[in-house]
Amino acid sequence: MAEKAKKQQVILKRNIVTKAVVTTKFKTFLNKELQENIKFYNKRLNEISAQLNSLAANDPAAAQLQMEQKEAQNYIASEASQKQFINSLELNSLYSQGPVEGFVTVTVGDNLYEKLGGIELVVEDGVVKKITSTPSQFQKVTG
């Protein structure tokens, strides 16, 4: 009995664009996330201060800590503008949350450009409302 030849395959990682429908709940979520980040950075500033006080000024670790301290201070200083941005988001508009990673299985004979082409998720209050596939750049150019 002849065995069927298995097609070679590989699993690849791809980015999937995620967009959220702006709702009152979503804005509340963003504000809460901002507050948690501010809390984290305030705590981190206290830790950095304690560490800096225990180091000599010319210690190479001090420079790294001072850089982290500046980043934390900048984030905390941007709180008001971030709140203003969140509050200015228009209800029912789409807010790009950035990419998430997904996996796709590719086998011999597949069109790689189609498999890795753009996928977009639209989420409303954490629930996926829509999944769309956009043509790859290769398809757009070659028709």
Side-chain angles (χ1 to χ4, degrees):
M1 231 190 309
E3 282 188 40
K4 272 190 175 178
K6 276 189 164 182
K7 277 190 173 182
Q8 290 179 319
Q9 65 181 27
V10 66
I11 297 173
L12 300 175
K13 198 178 343 179
R14 67 175 170 185
N15 285 329
I16 299 169
V17 175
T18 306
K19 294 181 179 179
V21 176
V22 176
T23 63
T24 304
K25 274 184 175 179
F26 180 69
K27 288 172 122 180
T28 301
F29 167 76
L30 288 179
N31 275 310
K32 181 154 179 49
E33 196 173 65
L34 175 61
Q35 289 310 306
E36 291 298 317
N37 287 339
I38 296 295
K39 239 189 265 184
F40 168 81
Y41 282 113
N42 277 322
K43 182 180 175 191
R44 185 69 187 124
L45 278 177
N46 290 334
E47 293 168 356
I48 291 171
S49 255
Q51 290 174 319
L52 283 172
N53 289 337
S54 69
L55 294 174
N58 60 353
D59 189 319
Q64 175 65 34
L65 286 170
Q66 288 168 343
M67 196 166 59
E68 282 183 52
Q69 183 180 43
K70 187 74 173 155
E71 286 174 15
Q73 289 168 337
N74 287 341
Y75 187 88
I76 291 167
S78 73
E79 178 182 13
S81 66
Q82 289 186 59
K83 277 185 178 181
Q84 183 179 6
F85 172 76
I86 292 167
N87 293 331
S88 73
L89 290 172
E90 190 176 317
L91 291 177
N92 297 316
S93 64
L94 291 178
Y95 173 80
S96 182
Q97 290 187 289
V100 293
E101 291 180 342
F103 295 92
V104 63
T105 301
V106 178
T107 58
V108 173
D110 285 344
N111 183 323
L112 181 65
Y113 302 122
E114 284 178 13
K115 288 281 190 163
L116 295 179
I119 299 289
E120 180 179 283
L121 292 177
V122 176
V123 179
E124 185 173 341
D125 295 334
V127 178
V128 176
K129 293 293 184 178
K130 187 171 153 188
I131 301 172
T132 54
S133 176
T134 56
S136 70
Q137 284 300 103
F138 181 78
Q139 289 168 316
K140 288 177 186 176
V141 172
T142 60

